[in-house]
Amino acid sequence: MKNTKLANTLTKALLILLSALMLVTSVVYCFNPKTASAQSEIINGEAAETEILEEEEEYADPFADGKIYCDATLDDDFCDDSLIVVLDEKLSKLAGIANDIVSRFFSLINCKSIENLTEILNPSQSLLDYYKTHKFRQILHIKLGQNSKQYVLKTIKFLEKLDGILYVGPDEVVSLDLPEDDTQIEEIYESEVASVAVNDSKFDDLWGLHGDYGISAPSAWDFTTGSKKIRVGVMDTGIANHEDLNANLAEGLDFNNSNSVTNDDAHGHGTHVAGTIAAVANNNIGIAGVAPNVTLVPLQITNEENTANLDVVMRAISYATSLWGKANQISILNYSFSDFGKNVSLLSLIYHFPGLFVWSAGNEGENVDNYESIKNFKLDNLISVGSSNKSGKRSTWIFRSSNYGENVDVFAPGSSILSTYLNNSYTTKSGTSMAAPHVSGVAALLWSMNPSLSASAIKSAIINGATRIMMDTPDGVKPAYRLTADDAIAYISQNRIPMHVAFSIKDKSDGWNVYIINQSNFEIYVTYNSRMCFNDDAKNFSGLQHLTDIVIPANGSKLVNIKENGTACYIVAAINYSYNGKNYRKITYANGISKDGTTNDVRYNQVSYNAAFPTLENEPKYLTVIPTDRQWKWTYNWDIKITNPNQYAVQVSYNSNMCFNGDAANFTVSDIVTITIPANSSVVVKILGNGTACYITTCINYSYKGYDCRKITYANNLAKNNGNYSLTPYYNDVRVL
């Protein structure tokens, strides 16, 4: 015994030393800060260790420190005749139960039967490989010979003392994760509808997908809408037959009744969750899911009371685990039920599952960091989800509110969420139950883009791609993450899609000195405008005056001076980039910087106006620019004919006093003149030369399907000598949203 204790002590000491070394290494070599405050401190040479966020957290084995002891009481809701037991890896078997375990339990306690909840008869090689890095621990469901909650607790205390048992607890009863009262007390808010090619009749009502504080799903759809090969398991009340779901449904199982009938959803909870994940898009009816082309697998776990016994939940997780590496693999499990942070019994099974387990954080309005067992829930494949409302705040209802805390990994839309319901209908529901499927949908999009990713990589992309926010809680204003679909895609896209920029105030001097921070792992080009009031609408990124172009290094920043405008300062920063042959602009905007300069924070909205520039039916054609005459004065002048080839009049702004080295983004604004050119007509304008040549830029402003667009034609190489009137045109497809 003494040798064993000494070995354990030495092992723990080595683990602590190794963790310390890894922490130092990660800070030195892997530092990738996300918050503006952390960035500004590093820029200023100040290191606040509590604010530093590393690119990837270290996640613990739930039983790394040995046994976990049960804290159940008679007041808890659990079965009075059964137990859940987790064995250590030495005693565990993938199939069957060791004979000595059976004989020991039957001789020591009043045991009626023993069931292996983790039996896998035909594991794939990829699952066996997974267990080389994630220890397999057998979980048993023990039926006792008497019905007594007191006897259950007494037996738990007895079995906890035995070697080889890591955890023993009651067979708990879990409930749907919905507020008792769904009535909102949140502020009324009307979101702007995204201009995307979706014809679903109720799409306008899906604020969680496209509202100002939604997840920017339409921007993510420019890259993927999902793949049928990616299957999401919905552990819930079943999924009813529904015309907006059936095309994406696969056959599932009812683990409570041991059959394959899963469309008898009497509550509607599972049907609602399923619609948020993967309702069919562009079918002219209803709604669209976050990942409208992935496959839904109903895993029904509830009984007639719409609650679930823990052993039934475990059978569903084990079933999904057994399919890993096979053609019908389930990559994601959505679990919109209670007891996140408390239900230790599920941890080993989640740890066994190679996919991503998405768990709603709960609606008790509690700080989950205060839960005694919360440290055991930091698994690399488990992501917990809180609920946010239409204003981007933590959801609150009449009697309850979303749980919160550092151990709530991400917040997603969970208030007044419209989704599919019973009898081919639709309804709104609220709760972290509704927030979790938004995360499951984003995870499905990520896996659709790259099926080789691990669950840990998917979780990392979701968290690192989320928007960093400050959230009001009962414990004060706390940092949190808000789900952003397109930035999660950016994180896994091998550095091809930039993240949003962030802002941090340095000080106030002749306006403000503000850091514009590049959160991407590669250099980006940013155009920013800081003297603009746009009424919280980044699509009105209008007027080229006061534009400035800067280059920001990877994970770096640039300090800029911002002038105030009216009662406040407004900043718009735009990143232009290309992906898969399409041109994009990603816009981050900030407002609310107080005029007196006392605010040491920038309240900013990172709304992802990341749609591809639209293909237009009646898009204005480019103009043609031809020199017709040249006159010698103190400088060089030309008469230039600008021709409108369109069947309608266009309004044109042109600039001729510019040297921009072939980059239309540097469209400076000195000497801008605006004219109207009739259909199929031309105008002749006088152009002032610049240096050794004349540069001309013409710009057409127009609107299409809610987009404010600008089309630019520019030309150069108008020769300086008297005998050459040639002009080389550059018809670059630059459309500014």
Side-chain angles (χ1 to χ4, degrees):
M1 180 65 76
K2 290 182 179 179
N3 290 336
T4 301
K5 290 184 178 179
L6 178 60
N8 289 339
T9 301
L10 289 173
T11 299
K12 289 182 180 179
L14 287 171
L15 285 173
I16 292 170
L17 178 59
L18 180 60
S19 299
L21 288 172
M22 292 179 70
L23 178 60
V24 171
T25 303
S26 63
V27 170
V28 173
Y29 294 104
C30 301
F31 178 70
N32 180 24
K34 279 185 63 70
T35 65
S37 58
Q39 288 271 16
S40 63
E41 286 167 353
I42 291 169
I43 293 164
N44 290 314
E46 301 167 7
E49 292 182 3
T50 57
E51 290 294 327
I52 291 177
L53 294 175
E54 295 157 18
E55 184 171 355
E56 290 195 19
E57 274 188 89
E58 282 202 40
Y59 298 98
D61 178 338
F63 295 100
D65 294 331
K67 287 180 184 283
I68 299 176
Y69 292 92
C70 178
D71 60 357
T73 69
L74 286 174
D75 294 330
D76 295 328
D77 194 3
F78 59 85
C79 300
D80 63 359
D81 63 346
S82 53
L83 296 172
I84 303 295
V85 176
V86 180
L87 303 178
D88 70 16
E89 56 273 17
K90 295 178 182 178
L91 299 179
S92 298
K93 296 179 63 178
L94 273 173
I97 307 172
N99 290 331
D100 59 331
I101 295 294
V102 175
S103 60
R104 186 189 309 178
F105 280 10
F106 270 95
S107 63
L108 293 176
I109 60 176
N110 186 358
C111 183
K112 186 176 180 180
S113 66
I114 304 176
E115 177 189 5
N116 180 5
L117 293 177
T118 49
E119 186 163 61
I120 301 176
L121 297 176
N122 184 28
S124 66
Q125 186 58 50
S126 59
L127 182 59
L128 294 175
D129 290 342
Y130 180 78
Y131 290 150
K132 292 177 182 177
T133 56
H134 291 69
K135 296 177 181 177
F136 178 81
R137 300 185 177 100
Q138 193 169 24
I139 300 177
L140 307 177
H141 179 232
I142 299 178
K143 277 282 191 179
L144 299 175
Q146 65 183 85
N147 297 65
S148 166
K149 292 180 73 172
Q150 289 91 341
Y151 184 69
V152 168
L153 295 179
K154 180 179 178 181
T155 305
I156 288 172
K157 295 302 180 186
F158 173 75
L159 292 178
E160 282 180 334
K161 300 175 183 178
L162 300 181
D163 291 337
I165 293 180
L166 293 176
Y167 175 79
V168 56
D171 189 357
E172 299 177 41
V173 177
V174 293
S175 58
L176 301 174
D177 207 8
L178 282 171
E180 293 173 359
D181 190 306
D182 198 30
T183 307
Q184 308 297 299
I185 60 170
E186 299 154 2
E187 60 187 272
I188 298 174
Y189 176 85
E190 295 296 330
S191 64
E192 180 183 346
V193 178
S195 299
V196 294
V198 177
N199 60 26
D200 302 272
S201 59
K202 298 181 183 295
F203 183 76
D204 291 3
D205 299 319
L206 303 179
W207 77 266
L209 268 60
H210 57 69
D212 282 354
Y213 295 97
I215 67 170
S216 301
S219 295
W221 293 342
D222 283 325
F223 305 102
T224 180
T225 55
S227 165
K228 284 290 189 288
K229 294 181 180 180
I230 303 302
R231 294 157 58 91
V232 182
V234 182
M235 298 173 55
D236 220 292
T237 60
I239 301 176
N241 287 324
H242 197 292
E243 59 184 347
D244 221 357
L245 293 174
N246 289 342
N248 287 341
L249 274 181
E251 184 180 32
L253 289 174
D254 180 343
F255 294 90
N256 192 65
N257 295 304
S258 301
N259 60 43
S260 59
V261 179
T262 59
N263 60 4
D264 55 346
D265 180 5
H267 186 278
H269 188 271
T271 304
H272 196 278
V273 165
T276 297
I277 298 171
V280 179
N282 282 321
N283 58 354
N284 286 300
I285 59 171
I287 65 167
V290 175
N293 284 320
V294 303
T295 300
L296 295 163
V297 183
L299 305 176
Q300 194 168 4
I301 57 176
T302 53
N303 51 35
E304 294 78 8
E305 289 77 34
N306 289 312
T307 59
N309 288 359
L310 201 56
D311 63 294
V312 177
V313 177
M314 290 180 164
R315 291 187 187 98
I317 301 174
S318 289
Y319 170 74
T321 302
S322 71
L323 299 179
W324 192 263
K326 302 178 181 179
N328 54 347
Q329 171 180 305
I330 294 174
S331 300
I332 301 155
L333 287 174
N334 189 95
Y335 184 64
S336 290
F337 277 72
S338 60
D339 285 351
F340 169 76
K342 298 177 181 178
N343 198 323
V344 174
S345 299
L346 287 182
L347 291 182
S348 192
L349 267 172
I350 297 171
Y351 185 69
H352 290 165
F353 177 54
L356 186 70
F357 193 90
V358 182
W359 196 341
S360 55
N363 306 308
E364 292 75 34
E366 296 176 345
N367 185 342
V368 301
D369 299 340
N370 296 328
Y371 295 167
E372 185 175 350
S373 302
I374 194 64
K375 67 180 187 301
N376 304 109
F377 283 73
K378 295 185 73 65
L379 307 184
D380 60 1
N381 66 335
L382 167 60
I383 187 166
S384 61
V385 187
S387 174
S388 59
N389 63 22
K390 295 179 182 180
S391 299
K393 301 175 182 177
R394 187 176 65 92
S395 294
T396 56
W397 303 280
I398 290 293
F399 298 113
R400 308 179 82 179
S401 60
S402 172
N403 286 352
Y404 60 95
E406 291 183 7
N407 287 282
V408 176
D409 295 306
V410 68
F411 283 79
S415 291
S416 298
I417 302 301
L418 179 70
S419 189
T420 47
Y421 197 56
L422 306 179
N423 302 316
N424 278 328
S425 66
Y426 301 85
T427 192
T428 56
K429 287 181 177 291
S430 297
T432 56
S433 275
M434 284 58 255
H438 284 86
V439 174
S440 295
V442 171
L445 293 177
L446 298 177
W447 246 314
S448 298
M449 288 193 70
N450 188 349
S452 66
L453 291 172
S454 66
S456 177
I458 296 292
K459 176 177 180 177
S460 180
I462 289 172
I463 294 175
N464 284 284
T467 300
R468 182 72 166 176
I469 60 174
M470 300 303 293
M471 178 171 282
D472 290 330
T473 76
D475 299 330
V477 178
K478 301 290 184 182
Y481 294 106
R482 190 173 67 236
L483 181 67
T484 309
D486 64 325
D487 278 344
I489 286 176
Y491 191 83
I492 67 162
S493 295
Q494 299 178 7
N495 294 343
R496 290 173 293 186
I497 304 173
M499 303 282 280
H500 281 292
V501 297
F503 307 96
S504 179
I505 295 177
K506 180 177 183 290
D507 54 40
K508 187 175 188 300
S509 175
D510 188 27
W512 291 267
N513 291 312
V514 178
Y515 290 106
I516 300 180
I517 302 163
N518 173 15
Q519 301 185 114
S520 303
N521 294 320
F522 51 96
E523 181 180 81
I524 61 173
Y525 292 80
V526 172
T527 300
Y528 72 91
N529 180 315
S530 61
R531 290 178 63 87
M532 180 168 63
C533 274
F534 50 81
N535 297 322
D536 296 331
D537 183 359
K539 287 200 300 186
N540 292 329
F541 186 48
S542 59
L544 294 174
Q545 62 270 25
H546 311 111
L547 283 179
T548 304
D549 296 294
I550 57 176
V551 178
I552 308 181
N555 296 312
S557 64
K558 281 293 180 71
L559 184 64
V560 300
N561 182 258
I562 302 298
K563 306 296 184 183
E564 66 188 44
N565 182 31
T567 59
C569 169
Y570 294 82
I571 309 170
V572 173
I575 310 169
N576 296 292
Y577 63 99
S578 296
Y579 184 81
N580 284 348
K582 293 183 180 180
N583 296 319
Y584 295 86
R585 165 161 291 180
K586 175 167 280 191
I587 295 177
T588 303
Y589 61 100
N591 58 20
I593 305 177
S594 63
K595 184 176 180 180
D596 60 12
T598 58
T599 302
N600 192 30
D601 183 26
V602 182
R603 294 188 179 275
Y604 59 91
N605 300 318
Q606 294 189 333
V607 175
S608 183
Y609 289 97
N610 194 36
F613 301 143
T615 300
L616 309 182
E617 298 164 3
N618 295 310
E619 178 182 4
K621 297 177 182 178
Y622 289 106
L623 307 175
T624 57
V625 184
I626 302 173
T628 61
D629 195 8
R630 176 178 173 277
Q631 300 176 9
W632 173 270
K633 291 187 178 180
W634 290 106
T635 56
Y636 296 97
N637 287 343
W638 287 267
D639 289 337
I640 301 294
K641 182 168 67 173
I642 302 176
T643 302
N644 171 22
N646 297 287
Q647 301 299 317
Y648 46 87
V650 296
Q651 189 179 67
V652 176
S653 297
Y654 67 90
N655 178 309
S656 62
N657 192 11
M658 179 175 64
C659 201
F660 52 79
N661 297 323
D663 183 359
N666 291 328
F667 183 42
T668 58
V669 295
S670 56
D671 305 312
I672 280 184
V673 178
T674 301
I675 59 175
T676 298
I677 307 180
N680 296 310
S681 299
S682 301
V683 296
V684 176
V685 298
K686 289 193 179 295
I687 298 300
L688 178 67
N690 180 30
T692 59
C694 171
Y695 294 82
I696 307 167
T697 298
T698 58
C699 175
I700 309 173
N701 295 291
Y702 60 99
S703 296
Y704 182 76
K705 290 187 176 180
Y707 287 86
D708 295 322
C709 301
R710 174 171 286 117
K711 189 158 197 167
I712 297 174
T713 302
Y714 61 102
N716 61 16
N717 291 344
L718 186 56
K720 180 178 180 180
N721 65 75
N722 294 335
N724 189 342
Y725 293 156
S726 65
L727 189 69
T728 303
Y730 290 83
Y731 299 126
N732 279 22
D733 190 7
V734 181
R735 296 192 191 98
V736 181
L737 296 184

